[in-house]
Amino acid sequence: MAARFFDPTGARYGVPTFPWRMAPDGLATRRQLRARGLRPGGQDVAAQVLWFSRRYRRKGTSPIRVAYLYRLDRAKPVRPMTPAKWAALAKANAAQRVCTECRRDAGYRIPTSLGMCVTCADAPQLAA
């Protein structure tokens, strides 16, 4: 199966392609870049990793998974958070803690499945 996804020249897939865990050094996924404090910085995809996954076949999607790789030497540092971004993030998180029923701060993020705090969601069951 690994030989099926090995195309370092990009002749078959249009971009250099490697099997799972066989990508050359100097390339990283977005998550790997972020773990190093980097971002792609506008560069094009340098290569890709393909692998077969039985898990996603059951969901009706293609069983072939892809992860795009970017060059480490062209990556740029992550932009720092500004005070305005911190304030916007705090405001968004606070809005997700306010119950739509009782209008109180629940102290935790309200589950979207309930749409209200756990106390308000359980109130009809406790009244019965």
Side-chain angles (χ1 to χ4, degrees):
M1 187 59 71
R4 174 181 173 189
F5 298 133
F6 189 73
D7 178 25
T9 61
R12 181 174 180 187
Y13 295 103
V15 63
T17 304
F18 301 96
W20 180 253
R21 294 183 185 243
M22 291 187 67
D25 292 335
L27 298 175
T29 63
R30 283 182 179 269
R31 285 188 178 188
Q32 291 168 338
L33 288 175
R34 187 64 183 207
R36 294 179 181 207
L38 300 172
R39 62 187 169 94
Q43 65 174 301
D44 291 330
V45 173
Q48 65 184 358
V49 173
L50 293 178
W51 71 96
F52 182 81
S53 174
R54 290 185 192 97
R55 169 190 274 175
Y56 292 97
R57 185 176 196 140
R58 291 184 208 133
K59 295 182 181 178
T61 61
S62 173
I64 298 175
R65 305 289 294 168
V66 63
Y68 298 112
L69 302 172
Y70 301 91
R71 291 181 45 176
L72 285 171
D73 58 344
R74 290 188 182 174
K76 296 180 180 178
V78 174
R79 295 182 186 118
M81 288 283 283
T82 63
K85 286 184 181 180
W86 281 112
L89 185 60
K91 188 176 179 182
N93 287 334
Q96 292 180 344
R97 289 193 310 263
V98 176
C99 177
T100 57
E101 293 294 316
C102 62
R103 300 285 184 205
R104 286 185 287 176
D105 186 344
Y108 54 88
R109 190 178 159 276
I110 304 292
T112 55
S113 60
L114 297 177
M116 61 187 81
C117 67
V118 177
T119 307
C120 293
D122 288 342
Q125 294 174 354
L126 295 175

